[in-house]
Amino acid sequence: MTKDPKGASRAGRALGLGAFLLASLLGRPAGAVDFSREMVATTGSEFLMFDLGPRGMAMGGAYTAVTDDAFSLYWNPAGLTRVPRFSAAYQSSMDVADITMHSGSFAYRVKESIVLGGGWRYVDMGAISHTNIDGDVLGEFRPRHYIAELGWGQTIYDLSDTDMELSVGATLRWLHSDLILHSDGYGGDIGVQSRFYSGPFLYDLGAVFQNMGMGQNYVDTRDTLPFRTRIGGAIYPMKGLILSLEAVAPIAGYPYAAVGTEYTRSIDRTISASARAGFNSSTIRSLGPMSTMNVGFGVKWLDFGVDYSFAYMGVLGGNGTHRFAFSYNLPSKSSRRYRER
């Protein structure tokens, strides 16, 4: 079999771009990114780690290479380039200890190769007793967190051909917390996503570096943001079936793995239904083996979708966590490439 020098050159440049992004992160000053065991549970702004998008959560979080809608602002901004025309989503989450989260996001294709997006998140941690140093109860307060973000995704045509498509993206984020004190912070993500059309199956690869930036400052201490690296892949062995795998390395925890699957079947020309399941080992030490399992489903009617996911919380008890999302996704009117996705 003869080699394709042009394709090999483009693939090499794609790998070079990924290596450049990784080197840029690893080249940060010493101590800026420390993955040692001493860093476990030492970062602030942990609410940034609350996952968005029931589809990705039901797949165990193995979603970096799969994401293709407005929730890409959270999972991997490079996935914004897979939005055909317009995508919007709203999510409501109910967690343990009266913690609730609401979010809204959108993405809009402004050019053939560029998609822009934006979103917001609101986290309410529930009522907490306010006590002084002597233990006297002074009343109650409700910690609240606010996040606003902007995203950009672009397909790199110079590095894409008939066998491979490469996209990059970035998210900029502002966060604000109302505790007894108030604080702001700034951060962002950088992501890469690539789709390969050669071989027996269609497959995707993706990588994202999340929560880089300036943490929140309380009194005289500025916290570190919960930086983490995610690298994943997905294959499509048959129509409607996705199998995904992911490795995650957080700065404030142990590395963990995630596995996910989704099967989608069309009921008629306007309705389709999806069943999802996933495994995520991040909580196996703290919440037990049962907490590693995630399940969910989705229903799409025309351009509207409803998604749900459930995760058991192990030793925390309760009824687990429930996430609901409503979405609206406009398909492309003119591009066959996006209609086929």
Side-chain angles (χ1 to χ4, degrees):
M1 180 182 293
T2 60
K3 294 183 178 180
D4 179 3
K6 185 178 179 181
S9 175
R10 288 178 174 176
R13 283 183 288 172
L15 292 175
L17 178 61
F20 170 75
L21 292 174
L22 181 59
S24 298
L25 290 170
L26 296 181
R28 297 172 73 189
V33 176
D34 183 357
F35 289 94
S36 65
R37 291 189 176 184
E38 288 73 19
M39 283 297 294
V40 173
T42 60
T43 65
S45 308
E46 285 296 314
F47 54 89
L48 290 174
M49 307 291 275
F50 292 179
D51 287 341
L52 288 181
R55 183 190 180 199
M57 288 184 281
M59 295 177 68
Y63 202 57
T64 296
V66 180
T67 183
D68 60 1
D69 56 17
F71 285 120
S72 297
L73 281 169
Y74 171 78
W75 293 102
N76 183 354
L80 291 171
T81 61
R82 296 185 180 176
V83 173
R85 191 153 46 117
F86 179 79
S87 175
Y90 168 78
Q91 176 184 313
S92 177
S93 300
M94 297 174 287
D95 292 332
V96 297
D98 297 326
I99 298 174
T100 59
M101 181 172 70
H102 304 276
S103 73
S105 54
F106 75 92
Y108 176 71
R109 181 169 294 277
V110 295
K111 292 184 178 181
E112 180 66 22
S113 63
I114 299 176
V115 178
L116 300 180
W120 58 271
R121 291 182 247 169
Y122 168 71
V123 182
D124 188 334
M125 305 298 289
I128 298 177
S129 295
H130 180 196
T131 61
N132 60 21
I133 194 172
D134 297 320
D136 300 323
V137 177
L138 305 179
E140 288 186 341
F141 70 103
R142 299 182 69 91
R144 294 180 174 91
H145 307 287
Y146 306 86
I147 302 171
E149 48 200 350
L150 296 174
W152 157 82
Q154 180 164 352
T155 301
I156 309 299
Y157 287 132
D158 288 344
L159 297 177
S160 302
D161 54 27
T162 57
D163 294 327
M164 181 190 71
E165 184 176 280
L166 179 71
S167 300
V168 298
T171 300
L172 297 178
R173 188 172 293 120
W174 168 78
L175 43 144
H176 174 81
S177 294
D178 286 337
L179 306 178
I180 296 176
L181 301 176
H182 309 282
S183 182
D184 296 316
Y186 306 90
D189 308 338
I190 296 175
V192 179
Q193 199 176 60
S194 188
R195 169 159 289 182
F196 296 84
Y197 298 93
S198 59
F201 305 118
L202 182 72
Y203 66 98
D204 294 326
L205 296 176
V208 63
F209 309 100
Q210 296 179 313
N211 302 324
M212 301 174 291
M214 184 176 66
Q216 294 174 289
N217 184 12
Y218 294 98
V219 190
D220 297 323
T221 302
R222 185 169 295 278
D223 294 332
T224 302
L225 291 180
F227 173 83
R228 63 182 172 183
T229 302
R230 309 180 71 115
I231 299 176
I235 63 172
Y236 305 80
M238 57 180 286
K239 183 178 181 180
L241 179 63
I242 303 175
L243 303 175
S244 59
L245 176 67
E246 190 150 323
V248 186
I251 188 177
Y254 296 94
Y256 61 91
V259 179
T261 183
E262 176 188 72
Y263 179 69
T264 301
R265 184 167 183 174
S266 297
I267 299 174
D268 61 26
R269 294 182 59 184
T270 61
I271 301 176
S272 63
S274 302
R276 302 160 185 143
F279 165 85
N280 187 308
S281 66
S282 62
T283 59
I284 193 169
R285 295 171 181 264
S286 56
L287 301 182
M290 287 296 296
S291 69
T292 63
M293 304 305 297
N294 302 266
V295 295
F297 65 85
V299 177
K300 184 177 180 181
W301 174 67
L302 296 175
D303 300 328
F304 299 90
V306 178
D307 295 287
Y308 166 79
S309 70
F310 171 80
Y312 179 66
M313 295 305 293
V315 297
L316 291 181
N319 296 320
T321 59
H322 306 268
R323 279 96 172 197
F324 298 88
F326 304 90
S327 61
Y328 177 68
N329 297 279
L330 282 178
S332 174
K333 288 183 176 179
S334 58
S335 174
R336 179 183 176 186
R337 186 174 90 187
Y338 289 106
R339 286 203 303 270
E340 289 176 345
R341 286 179 173 167

